[in-house]
Amino acid sequence: MSLRIVVDDLTGAPTRALIAAHLAGMHENSPPESVHALDLGALTAPGITVWSAWRDDDLVGIGALAELDGDGDGDGDGARRGELKSMRVDDRFRGTGAGRALLRHIIAHARARGIQSLWLETGSEDAFIPARALYASEGFVECGPFAAYAPDPLSTFMTRTL
């Protein structure tokens, strides 16, 4: 699948709709205290870059990189650790390789920014098996909670050295 992946300013209706669907899906599969997905406002915070993947005029997916340390301006200078956030592929494009392409794009940008490790939190329930399998196949391994996360039986934490 040929994708065009761009930094997204989060103003377009398709992106906003996919973020809303992502949040709704997280709340369908996890109790509120175990939902760590970022809403639209949080995704616009300094130190977070959001990408969207497109096939022609169709939004295929989104993903974000948040600096865990550094100066918070989003350029990665000084940031040694980054967190993957809001990875979501539109249901119409699941199983097409779009999620892997977006993940690899974010990894490449993190590496180019000098980030040395990536971290993520995803669900531990069956609905999240495909996500955990994708991350594991790209070199992520399970770890304990990081940053401000607390232990949660419904969360799986993963990391990867770049």
Side-chain angles (χ1 to χ4, degrees):
M1 168 183 290
S2 177
L3 294 177
R4 177 176 48 94
I5 301 175
V6 298
V7 172
D8 199 302
D9 65 7
L10 304 176
T11 60
T15 304
R16 289 173 173 258
L18 189 54
I19 291 168
H22 177 62
L23 288 170
M26 297 301 99
H27 284 281
E28 287 173 12
N29 290 300
S30 301
E33 64 274 10
S34 294
V35 174
H36 304 289
L38 299 179
D39 64 14
L40 186 63
L43 286 169
T44 63
I48 298 179
T49 304
V50 179
W51 287 270
S52 55
W54 300 82
R55 187 180 79 183
D56 300 321
D57 292 330
D58 290 321
L59 176 61
V60 173
I62 57 170
L65 175 64
E67 294 179 5
L68 289 178
D69 47 27
D71 57 16
D73 65 4
D75 66 5
D77 65 337
R80 297 181 51 152
R81 299 181 308 146
E83 180 181 1
L84 289 172
K85 296 295 295 183
S86 301
M87 288 287 297
R88 176 67 183 229
V89 171
D90 185 290
D91 291 345
R92 298 172 298 155
F93 298 100
R94 290 194 175 184
T96 65
R100 184 175 308 280
L102 190 54
L103 177 59
R104 287 179 176 173
H105 183 85
I106 294 171
I107 290 169
H109 276 271
R111 187 177 285 124
R113 290 180 182 181
I115 292 174
Q116 298 174 3
S117 61
L118 288 177
W119 303 76
L120 65 89
E121 180 276 336
T122 191
S124 294
E125 297 163 305
D126 287 350
F128 298 95
I129 289 172
R132 292 192 309 270
L134 170 63
Y135 297 133
S137 74
E138 291 294 327
F140 286 84
V141 296
E142 290 190 25
C143 63
F146 61 93
Y149 291 103
D152 182 342
L154 299 180
S155 287
T156 297
F157 303 97
M158 301 179 87
T159 188
R160 175 194 163 153
T161 301
L162 300 181

